[in-house]
Amino acid sequence: MYIAASRTSDLAAGNHRKPALKRVSANVVALGMVSLVTDVSSEMVTAVLPLYLVLGLGLNPLQFGLLDGLYAGATALVRVLGGHLADRWRRLKAVAGFGYGLSAVCKLGLVAAGSSVAAIGVVLAADRTGKGVRTAPRDALISLSSEPDALGRSFGVHRALDTVGAFLGPLVAMAVLALSLGSYTSVFFTSFCVAAIAVLLLALFVRDHPGGVDRAAVSLRTAAGLLKQSDFRRVTLWAALLGLVTVGDSFVYLVLQRRWEIAATFFPLLPLGTAGVYLVLAVPLGKLADRIGRWPVFLGGHAALGLALVLLCGPAYAVIPVVALGLHGVFYAATDGVLMAAAGPLIPRDLRATGMAVVQTGQAVARMLSSVLFGLAWTLWDLRPAVLAAAGCLAVVALAAALAKPVRP
């Protein structure tokens, strides 16, 4: 529905406007479909993993925080390498495809790991490595396949399709659990089959975008030089600082489960609240970011997350989980694709994947530390003080980012 029409044929028909349908290319939609199917696979695992680890294997919040931090931070070590190789080889699609394939195979690794926490940790690290390798080349393909003044819209469309998968994943996981009488192994194996379909879609329908890049200009030294550019450096540093005070998804859902005593069978449905709002708002907020500025929308998303955390510490009214999950969805709709849309114009075309990987790496490392610190705070202080501390830190950093010299991507 968002596939770009031909500019020539549009002009021939006498239409000199730039309608929304022209602003997102077919390649972006194809990448969105790949992400949709991939997210069905990954969210099947994500939906059941916290419950499996905390209730099934008996991990405490600190142990879970360490594992969740590993899950979030394993991408950090390979993002820049993946982005650099994609730029260096001028093979964005091939490098992204390797990452998708590695993550697919890791779903079988979860089947083999059984109840071994150490083995699960290794497999999750490998799975996130695949995500780290593919993310920057994929986002670079979206950026290079889009008009500069429609980057927010393009990333919004991609993230909306991606979120359809995030919405369907927990439902599929619940269906598999019900049909298999609670077998997590069945969920992991089904997840592998779905991920394999996504790799096939990438191979068949996504076009590469090699461009006319000078390989000699693509080096780690020139990539490091990106941080000398003031706007790019500010985007990278503020994204990392905000990532450091962001509470991970799994912890948000565990807080909801603990405070409102949500039954284990309904736990996989919690991400649907986030995904549903994200799906509805991804494109509108992407368009808004193109219109009023991507950085204000990005900071507004963090304000929504801060409000959600405050609500989670208040009275346990029945409506609070619905509102909190809605605000959590606003956070993602206003930050995920919008950050990449903000960073894209600040990066030369021949370093697009590398530059995006630098931003993503800073954020991934920060969120890894955040998971560990929040897990430690929950273990030492209990649930409410840990959540309130996280909300306070988020408010301080977001306000500092808003008062600092503005970023103009």
Side-chain angles (χ1 to χ4, degrees), residues 385-397:
V387 176
L388 285 174
C393 292
L394 179 57
V396 170
V397 176

Side-chain angles (χ1 to χ4, degrees), residues 376-394:
L376 178 61
W378 187 344
T379 302
L380 295 177
W381 303 339
D382 206 5
L383 189 154
R384 286 193 189 184
V387 176
L388 285 174
C393 292
L394 179 57

Side-chain angles (χ1 to χ4, degrees), residues 52 57 113-121:
Y52 178 56
L57 302 185
S115 61
S116 169
V117 176
I120 290 173

Side-chain angles (χ1 to χ4, degrees), residues 50-386:
L51 205 63
Y52 178 56
L53 294 174
V54 174
L55 297 184
L57 302 185
L59 271 65
N60 63 38
L62 176 57
Q63 291 171 322
F64 179 76
L66 290 169
L67 200 57
D68 190 59
L70 175 66
Y71 190 61
T75 63
L77 301 178
V78 295
R79 283 179 187 261
V80 173
L81 179 61
H84 170 70
L85 293 178
D87 284 333
R88 182 74 177 177
W89 296 340
R90 293 184 286 179
R91 293 292 183 270
L92 299 176
K93 176 180 172 179
V95 174
F98 173 80
Y100 280 109
L102 177 59
S103 292
V105 171
C106 285
K107 304 305 188 294
L108 289 180
L110 287 173
V111 175
S115 61
S116 169
V117 176
I120 290 173
V122 171
V123 173
L124 291 179
D127 176 66
R128 294 297 89 183
T129 296
K131 180 177 175 61
V133 167
R134 72 178 183 251
T135 300
R138 181 204 66 198
D139 285 348
L141 278 171
I142 295 171
S143 179
L144 294 171
S145 301
S146 305
E147 297 179 16
D149 61 346
L151 282 171
R153 187 194 309 265
S154 293
F155 276 99
V157 169
H158 174 269
R159 285 346 190 228
L161 290 170
D162 180 270
T163 307
V164 172
F167 192 87
L168 294 175
L171 294 177
V172 176
M174 283 193 67
V176 173
L177 279 176
L179 292 173
S180 64
L181 302 179
S183 170
Y184 289 101
T185 298
S186 297
V187 174
F188 299 150
F189 182 77
T190 305
S191 174
F192 161 73
C193 295
V194 175
I197 295 173
V199 176
L200 183 62
L201 289 175
L202 178 78
L204 293 177
F205 297 108
V206 173
R207 294 179 293 104
D208 210 346
H209 202 293
V213 178
D214 177 11
R215 290 193 183 191
V218 181
S219 67
L220 292 177
R221 183 175 181 179
T222 55
L226 289 171
L227 292 173
K228 296 179 180 179
Q229 302 175 21
S230 59
D231 277 338
F232 180 79
R233 183 173 62 251
R234 285 201 300 276
V235 167
T236 303
L237 291 177
W238 281 119
L241 286 172
L242 287 164
L244 186 61
V245 292
T246 297
V247 176
D249 301 356
S250 296
F251 275 121
V252 171
Y253 303 140
L254 284 172
V255 170
L256 283 167
Q257 193 273 331
R258 290 288 180 90
R259 284 218 60 204
W260 278 265
E261 298 181 350
I262 297 170
T265 52
F266 295 109
F267 185 85
L269 294 178
L270 293 179
L272 296 185
T274 298
V277 175
Y278 188 1
L279 174 62
V280 171
L281 294 182
V283 175
L285 288 181
K287 292 165 62 177
L288 179 66
D290 286 334
R291 187 177 304 119
I292 70 171
R294 291 152 191 161
W295 197 247
V297 173
F298 179 71
L299 294 179
H302 285 84
L305 176 62
L307 180 57
L309 295 178
V310 171
L311 289 176
L312 291 177
C313 295
Y317 298 131
V319 72
I320 295 298
V322 176
V323 177
L325 289 173
L327 289 169
H328 196 226
V330 172
F331 162 68
Y332 273 108
T335 59
D336 190 12
V338 172
L339 176 60
M340 292 298 97
L346 307 176
I347 308 167
R349 291 176 62 88
D350 55 351
L351 290 172
R352 191 65 54 89
T354 306
M356 287 184 166
V358 170
V359 177
Q360 294 164 358
T361 295
Q363 196 176 49
V365 170
R367 288 185 174 178
M368 175 181 66
L369 295 175
S370 173
S371 289
V372 175
L373 292 174
F374 185 80
L376 178 61
W378 187 344
T379 302
L380 295 177
W381 303 339
D382 206 5
L383 189 154
R384 286 193 189 184

